[in-house]
Amino acid sequence: MAIISAKGQHSMTKPQIPLTEYADRVRRAATLIAEAKLDVMVANANEADYSNVRYLSAYWPLFEMGGVAVSPAGDAALLIGLESENYARGRSVIPNIHMLKEYRETADPSYPGMACSSYTEAFASIGVKRPRRIGISGYLCTNLAMYEGLKTCFPDAELVNADDIMTKLRCVKSPAEIACLREGQRIGELALDAMLKAVKPGMTELQLAGIAVEVFYRNGAECEAHTVYSFGGRKTTNAISRSTHRRFEKGDIVQINVGGKIDGYSPSIGRPICLGKMTDQQRRLIEYGRQMHMKTYEWMRAGVVAGEVARRFEETVARDGMKQYYLYGPCHGLGLIEVEKPWLESNSTYTLEPNMTFQADTFFYDKDFGLRWENALLVRPEGAAEMLSSGSHMDLIEIDC
């Protein structure tokens, strides 16, 4: 497979993924594709979850969708929409690029008079003429237009969920990937410092989020690793939420989650804080969450079956009489996306391996407040897992106001 340098992509000022690593990723993907007895794999992505396409090509779709087709022989093609050719040629390390209407933006333009490629032509360019088994990775990013396009071009082919191939490729991180995650955590801690100095009653959630975003760009992040969590009061009972124009009030529990995106890699740091003094119940539950968070690192060890960690976490919560405050946990996969496969759940059967990375994500909630302690986690060859941040601000935080 030919790999070229993407214009403007690889400066030496920040951790980054070497160009040679992309070629190795495609080679390893090809091996797994052959082992799965697939004739070709298409890994799809979009702007929000760009992970599979960026992992293989360095390309990050904007407005449109993206895909990478890989053959068992190790040849690859980048699949893009009709507006992105110049952008893709300046960014992708895969020079074989095809514009397909199936990857157009959701405004659904018809592009009268514009020439486009097809899955038939794209697959032929990597030596695949009559595929009988087509693997689809990024299964939940694959839309109906892509499905119909594949079935039109190859009506007799079997479409197979191939998410496991990309999960296997991505779950164990290289030294370069780990360096990107460490840097994202470092910048996240700088943002957290700035937010803790600025937060006060009367400030809006979005104003506090804006302080974090300025820190990201000033310190070399591509952007925020995920939508900045900066919200307070009853909204902290939400496992997922967004900042609004709501103004913070004295006595609020405020949830902060921040991180910098470095060459696509997206770790997060989460801390619950209180504007003023915590109530007894707030202090009790936040302290318990911190204790469970720290226990997670002890339990996350190479050679342990992932489901055993989740069950141990849940059993401890139940034994301590805290199950009524528990929603989920204790970890989810981390890499190009802040939440990615593999999840760590009670029914998980995979074994933890050295250099796997997760977010230790400890969430509890009561009727009128919730909390999340969160840091990136690295499974080490021996012993307890490592926290990839410095562990700053892991005490109970009360803002004098």
Side-chain angles (χ1 to χ4, degrees):
M1 182 189 75
I3 294 287
I4 62 173
S5 176
K7 181 180 178 181
Q9 289 305 293
H10 285 76
S11 69
M12 295 307 294
T13 58
K14 287 288 176 185
Q16 60 194 359
I17 305 303
L19 292 173
T20 53
E21 195 159 314
Y22 290 100
D24 180 65
R25 291 169 175 182
V26 172
R27 283 192 292 268
R28 290 189 293 120
T31 298
L32 295 176
I33 291 165
E35 290 175 355
K37 299 188 181 340
L38 298 174
D39 298 304
V40 66
M41 180 186 73
V42 182
N44 289 321
N46 52 42
E47 182 176 357
D49 185 350
Y50 53 79
S51 54
N52 284 334
V53 167
R54 191 160 182 180
Y55 184 84
L56 294 170
S57 71
Y59 178 68
W60 184 357
L62 181 63
F63 295 112
E64 300 180 330
M65 318 303 164
V68 175
V70 182
S71 76
D75 295 309
L78 177 67
L79 314 177
I80 62 172
L82 274 66
E83 298 180 39
S84 297
E85 182 177 14
N86 288 342
Y87 168 53
R89 293 200 182 280
R91 187 169 187 117
S92 173
V93 299
I94 297 175
N96 180 17
I97 298 174
H98 292 259
M99 296 183 292
L100 278 68
K101 282 189 176 179
E102 288 85 352
Y103 292 83
R104 65 190 180 275
E105 59 186 276
T106 57
D108 198 16
S110 58
Y111 299 117
M114 289 184 67
C116 62
S117 186
S118 66
Y119 282 115
T120 302
E121 294 173 1
F123 287 6
S125 74
I126 59 174
V128 178
K129 299 287 182 68
R130 289 179 292 276
R132 299 185 65 83
R133 299 186 78 235
I134 300 173
I136 305 294
S137 194
Y139 191 78
L140 295 179
C141 292
T142 300
N143 60 34
L144 189 58
M146 298 170 189
Y147 175 84
E148 290 177 341
L150 286 166
K151 293 304 289 185
T152 296
C153 291
F154 310 107
D156 297 326
E158 177 187 8
L159 303 186
V160 179
N161 187 333
D163 274 350
D164 58 330
I165 289 178
M166 291 304 298
T167 300
K168 187 171 183 178
L169 284 174
R170 290 168 50 192
C171 68
V172 176
K173 302 302 190 290
S174 70
E177 291 177 293
I178 294 168
C180 289
L181 292 170
R182 288 189 191 279
E183 178 65 6
Q185 290 270 273
R186 185 189 72 83
I187 294 176
E189 288 185 298
L190 294 177
L192 176 62
D193 287 341
M195 296 170 83
L196 292 178
K197 290 175 183 176
V199 65
K200 60 184 179 180
M203 172 182 279
T204 71
E205 296 170 345
L206 286 167
Q207 286 173 331
L208 185 59
I211 289 170
V213 171
E214 188 275 335
V215 173
F216 299 148
Y217 287 110
R218 176 160 48 86
N219 286 278
E222 293 179 330
C223 58
E224 58 269 41
H226 57 81
T227 298
V228 174
Y229 274 26
S230 165
F231 46 83
R234 189 175 293 274
K235 287 171 63 179
T236 57
T237 64
N238 302 343
I240 296 174
S241 194
R242 289 185 181 273
S243 306
T244 67
H245 292 288
R246 178 189 178 275
R247 295 186 182 277
F248 295 121
E249 300 175 4
K250 188 172 182 177
D252 273 354
I253 297 298
V254 175
Q255 183 62 49
I256 294 174
N257 272 76
V258 289
K261 190 184 297 291
I262 304 296
D263 210 5
Y265 287 79
S266 305
S268 182
I269 292 171
R271 303 288 187 270
I273 69 172
C274 184
L275 298 184
K277 295 295 183 181
M278 296 180 187
T279 66
D280 290 344
Q281 174 62 359
Q282 288 170 344
R283 179 175 295 275
R284 170 176 173 261
L285 193 54
I286 291 172
E287 172 60 27
Y288 183 75
R290 181 174 66 168
Q291 292 174 8
M292 291 303 297
H293 184 81
M294 299 310 297
K295 287 179 181 179
T296 302
Y297 297 88
E298 282 295 321
W299 297 335
M300 293 287 286
R301 295 171 180 259
V304 173
V305 175
E308 293 178 6
V309 177
R311 291 190 293 273
R312 189 171 183 180
F313 190 98
E314 293 174 358
E315 289 165 2
T316 301
V317 169
R319 186 184 65 242
D320 292 343
M322 304 296 277
K323 189 174 181 179
Q324 66 190 35
Y325 308 116
Y326 174 72
L327 180 63
Y328 71 88
C331 295
H332 54 74
L334 164 68
L336 283 161
I337 301 296
E338 194 270 344
V339 182
E340 67 177 37
K341 290 185 175 182
W343 276 85
L344 193 144
E345 301 172 280
S346 59
N347 61 350
S348 299
T349 58
Y350 63 90
T351 299
L352 298 178
E353 300 179 47
N355 293 336
M356 286 181 124
T357 54
F358 295 84
Q359 285 289 138
D361 181 355
T362 312
F363 178 77
F364 291 91
Y365 68 107
D366 203 350
K367 293 179 181 178
D368 56 358
F369 76 96
L371 64 108
R372 170 176 274 114
W373 295 98
E374 187 160 10
N375 292 281
L377 173 157
L378 174 69
V379 179
R380 299 192 296 184
E382 295 182 1
E386 175 187 353
M387 186 184 293
L388 285 179
S389 71
S390 73
S392 66
H393 302 296
M394 283 297 294
D395 50 341
L396 299 193
I397 304 170
E398 296 176 320
I399 302 298
D400 188 16
C401 59

